[in-house]
Amino acid sequence: MPADPATVAATPSFHIGELAARTGRTVHAIRWYESQGLVPGVARDAGGRRVYGELHVGWLDLMDRLRRTGMSIAEMRDYTALALQGKATLRQRRDLLEAHRARVHQTIADWQQALSLVDRKIDFYDAWMAGGRRPPLIPVETPQHLPAPKRKPAR
């Protein structure tokens, strides 16, 4: 994302309504992203209206996906600030995204484990309804990333 508004303005430009239509986001959401400092390089036309370029379409998609995958607004601001500094921050941006990716993978693993329990519970109810008798309890799984519960020493 270029830091120079003139660079953005030189690309094909459009106003916030078209940006909203092209990105599937509301005008309100786009303004919120801007107010959070997450949409750099927004120029203004002669009438003072915001003018966006093609880069903003992709940038908003990235910001939305980072947010949906749990990146904090503070981290998104850090990423945006690094992007505005240009090529000198490539390693920092990459490292920030790599750390975020690791958190996303852990979240996916946690959700897969939760989904497995939901699936087994559905099977439990199906078996109960089909057989007319309550099946054995579903064994509890200890999440792999959590330490085993500590046992109290015997007295």
Side-chain angles (χ1 to χ4, degrees), residues 133-150:
R133 294 185 153 196
R134 182 185 176 135
L137 290 176
I138 299 170
V140 176
E141 292 181 7
T142 302
Q144 294 175 3
H145 67 282
L146 296 178
K150 294 181 182 177

mmCIF file of all heavy atoms in Angstrom, residues 133-150:
data_model
loop_
_atom_site.group_PDB
_atom_site.id
_atom_site.type_symbol
_atom_site.label_atom_id
_atom_site.label_comp_id
_atom_site.label_asym_id
_atom_site.label_seq_id
_atom_site.Cartn_x
_atom_site.Cartn_y
_atom_site.Cartn_z
ATOM 1 N N ARG A 133 -32.070 -47.032 24.329
ATOM 2 C CA ARG A 133 -31.323 -47.055 25.586
ATOM 3 C C ARG A 133 -30.144 -46.093 25.511
ATOM 4 O O ARG A 133 -29.558 -45.912 24.446
ATOM 5 C CB ARG A 133 -30.764 -48.446 25.866
ATOM 6 C CG ARG A 133 -31.829 -49.439 26.119
ATOM 7 C CD ARG A 133 -31.214 -50.740 26.499
ATOM 8 N NE ARG A 133 -32.199 -51.421 27.318
ATOM 9 C CZ ARG A 133 -31.946 -52.438 28.074
ATOM 10 N NH1 ARG A 133 -30.728 -52.909 28.131
ATOM 11 N NH2 ARG A 133 -32.892 -52.998 28.774
ATOM 12 N N ARG A 134 -29.836 -45.560 26.669
ATOM 13 C CA ARG A 134 -28.703 -44.625 26.723
ATOM 14 C C ARG A 134 -27.401 -45.383 26.479
ATOM 15 O O ARG A 134 -27.098 -46.363 27.177
ATOM 16 C CB ARG A 134 -28.664 -43.951 28.085
ATOM 17 C CG ARG A 134 -27.557 -42.948 28.190
ATOM 18 C CD ARG A 134 -27.444 -42.373 29.591
ATOM 19 N NE ARG A 134 -26.303 -41.491 29.596
ATOM 20 C CZ ARG A 134 -26.306 -40.302 30.126
ATOM 21 N NH1 ARG A 134 -27.375 -39.856 30.735
ATOM 22 N NH2 ARG A 134 -25.233 -39.555 30.078
ATOM 23 N N PRO A 135 -26.597 -44.939 25.508
ATOM 24 C CA PRO A 135 -25.300 -45.584 25.255
ATOM 25 C C PRO A 135 -24.287 -45.206 26.348
ATOM 26 O O PRO A 135 -24.544 -44.315 27.146
ATOM 27 C CB PRO A 135 -24.860 -45.015 23.905
ATOM 28 C CG PRO A 135 -25.901 -44.067 23.476
ATOM 29 C CD PRO A 135 -26.920 -43.922 24.541
ATOM 30 N N PRO A 136 -23.139 -45.852 26.350
ATOM 31 C CA PRO A 136 -22.093 -45.480 27.313
ATOM 32 C C PRO A 136 -21.664 -44.021 27.099
ATOM 33 O O PRO A 136 -21.789 -43.482 26.003
ATOM 34 C CB PRO A 136 -20.936 -46.426 26.992
ATOM 35 C CG PRO A 136 -21.491 -47.472 26.097
ATOM 36 C CD PRO A 136 -22.751 -46.945 25.492
ATOM 37 N N LEU A 137 -21.168 -43.421 28.161
ATOM 38 C CA LEU A 137 -20.726 -42.033 28.071
ATOM 39 C C LEU A 137 -19.588 -41.882 27.075
ATOM 40 O O LEU A 137 -18.791 -42.792 26.866
ATOM 41 C CB LEU A 137 -20.261 -41.537 29.445
ATOM 42 C CG LEU A 137 -21.348 -41.351 30.487
ATOM 43 C CD1 LEU A 137 -20.727 -40.948 31.823
ATOM 44 C CD2 LEU A 137 -22.340 -40.297 30.035
ATOM 45 N N ILE A 138 -19.503 -40.702 26.511
ATOM 46 C CA ILE A 138 -18.423 -40.376 25.583
ATOM 47 C C ILE A 138 -17.172 -40.080 26.401
ATOM 48 O O ILE A 138 -17.213 -39.253 27.319
ATOM 49 C CB ILE A 138 -18.787 -39.133 24.737
ATOM 50 C CG1 ILE A 138 -20.037 -39.393 23.914
ATOM 51 C CG2 ILE A 138 -17.622 -38.707 23.866
ATOM 52 C CD1 ILE A 138 -20.586 -38.149 23.241
ATOM 53 N N PRO A 139 -16.055 -40.760 26.119
ATOM 54 C CA PRO A 139 -14.833 -40.475 26.880
ATOM 55 C C PRO A 139 -14.357 -39.038 26.630
ATOM 56 O O PRO A 139 -14.485 -38.500 25.532
ATOM 57 C CB PRO A 139 -13.812 -41.484 26.356
ATOM 58 C CG PRO A 139 -14.396 -42.059 25.123
ATOM 59 C CD PRO A 139 -15.864 -41.772 25.105
ATOM 60 N N VAL A 140 -13.824 -38.440 27.662
ATOM 61 C CA VAL A 140 -13.330 -37.069 27.574
ATOM 62 C C VAL A 140 -11.922 -37.087 27.015
ATOM 63 O O VAL A 140 -11.077 -37.882 27.446
ATOM 64 C CB VAL A 140 -13.332 -36.398 28.971
ATOM 65 C CG1 VAL A 140 -12.733 -35.010 28.913
ATOM 66 C CG2 VAL A 140 -14.743 -36.359 29.526
ATOM 67 N N GLU A 141 -11.662 -36.195 26.041
ATOM 68 C CA GLU A 141 -10.317 -36.069 25.475
ATOM 69 C C GLU A 141 -9.635 -34.880 26.119
ATOM 70 O O GLU A 141 -10.231 -33.819 26.267
ATOM 71 C CB GLU A 141 -10.390 -35.820 23.965
ATOM 72 C CG GLU A 141 -10.892 -36.984 23.173
ATOM 73 C CD GLU A 141 -10.925 -36.671 21.680
ATOM 74 O OE1 GLU A 141 -10.444 -35.602 21.269
ATOM 75 O OE2 GLU A 141 -11.444 -37.504 20.939
ATOM 76 N N THR A 142 -8.374 -35.039 26.481
ATOM 77 C CA THR A 142 -7.600 -33.917 26.990
ATOM 78 C C THR A 142 -6.977 -33.228 25.792
ATOM 79 O O THR A 142 -6.312 -33.870 24.976
ATOM 80 C CB THR A 142 -6.478 -34.408 27.940
ATOM 81 O OG1 THR A 142 -7.089 -35.124 29.000
ATOM 82 C CG2 THR A 142 -5.693 -33.237 28.482
ATOM 83 N N PRO A 143 -7.196 -31.916 25.649
ATOM 84 C CA PRO A 143 -6.581 -31.209 24.524
ATOM 85 C C PRO A 143 -5.072 -31.414 24.531
ATOM 86 O O PRO A 143 -4.441 -31.350 25.585
ATOM 87 C CB PRO A 143 -6.948 -29.742 24.770
ATOM 88 C CG PRO A 143 -8.168 -29.800 25.650
ATOM 89 C CD PRO A 143 -7.999 -31.039 26.478
ATOM 90 N N GLN A 144 -4.506 -31.668 23.366
ATOM 91 C CA GLN A 144 -3.080 -31.991 23.264
ATOM 92 C C GLN A 144 -2.176 -30.827 23.657
ATOM 93 O O GLN A 144 -1.073 -31.031 24.126
ATOM 94 C CB GLN A 144 -2.757 -32.434 21.840
ATOM 95 C CG GLN A 144 -3.429 -33.735 21.486
ATOM 96 C CD GLN A 144 -3.204 -34.116 20.052
ATOM 97 O OE1 GLN A 144 -2.500 -33.429 19.314
ATOM 98 N NE2 GLN A 144 -3.795 -35.218 19.627
ATOM 99 N N HIS A 145 -2.656 -29.610 23.481
ATOM 100 C CA HIS A 145 -1.791 -28.470 23.770
ATOM 101 C C HIS A 145 -1.859 -28.039 25.233
ATOM 102 O O HIS A 145 -1.141 -27.162 25.656
ATOM 103 C CB HIS A 145 -2.136 -27.292 22.850
ATOM 104 C CG HIS A 145 -3.488 -26.710 23.106
ATOM 105 N ND1 HIS A 145 -4.633 -27.308 22.655
ATOM 106 C CD2 HIS A 145 -3.870 -25.607 23.773
ATOM 107 C CE1 HIS A 145 -5.670 -26.596 23.024
ATOM 108 N NE2 HIS A 145 -5.246 -25.562 23.713
ATOM 109 N N LEU A 146 -2.728 -28.683 26.025
ATOM 110 C CA LEU A 146 -2.842 -28.358 27.440
ATOM 111 C C LEU A 146 -2.111 -29.407 28.258
ATOM 112 O O LEU A 146 -2.129 -30.592 27.932
ATOM 113 C CB LEU A 146 -4.319 -28.303 27.870
ATOM 114 C CG LEU A 146 -5.166 -27.226 27.225
ATOM 115 C CD1 LEU A 146 -6.599 -27.352 27.731
ATOM 116 C CD2 LEU A 146 -4.632 -25.840 27.552
ATOM 117 N N PRO A 147 -1.471 -28.985 29.350
ATOM 118 C CA PRO A 147 -0.806 -29.984 30.182
ATOM 119 C C PRO A 147 -1.848 -30.847 30.887
ATOM 120 O O PRO A 147 -2.983 -30.434 31.122
ATOM 121 C CB PRO A 147 -0.039 -29.136 31.193
ATOM 122 C CG PRO A 147 -0.711 -27.797 31.199
ATOM 123 C CD PRO A 147 -1.322 -27.625 29.826
ATOM 124 N N ALA A 148 -1.456 -32.078 31.195
ATOM 125 C CA ALA A 148 -2.350 -32.981 31.924
ATOM 126 C C ALA A 148 -2.619 -32.375 33.307
ATOM 127 O O ALA A 148 -1.759 -31.689 33.858
ATOM 128 C CB ALA A 148 -1.705 -34.348 32.054
ATOM 129 N N PRO A 149 -3.811 -32.611 33.850
ATOM 130 C CA PRO A 149 -4.101 -32.074 35.173
ATOM 131 C C PRO A 149 -3.107 -32.579 36.195
ATOM 132 O O PRO A 149 -2.683 -33.734 36.163
ATOM 133 C CB PRO A 149 -5.517 -32.590 35.489
ATOM 134 C CG PRO A 149 -6.042 -33.172 34.225
ATOM 135 C CD PRO A 149 -4.895 -33.403 33.311
ATOM 136 N N LYS A 150 -2.703 -31.697 37.111
ATOM 137 C CA LYS A 150 -1.748 -32.083 38.154
ATOM 138 C C LYS A 150 -2.504 -32.806 39.257
ATOM 139 O O LYS A 150 -3.598 -32.411 39.651
ATOM 140 C CB LYS A 150 -1.061 -30.836 38.718
ATOM 141 C CG LYS A 150 -0.176 -30.148 37.704
ATOM 142 C CD LYS A 150 0.496 -28.942 38.315
ATOM 143 C CE LYS A 150 1.331 -28.250 37.266
ATOM 144 N NZ LYS A 150 1.955 -27.037 37.785
#
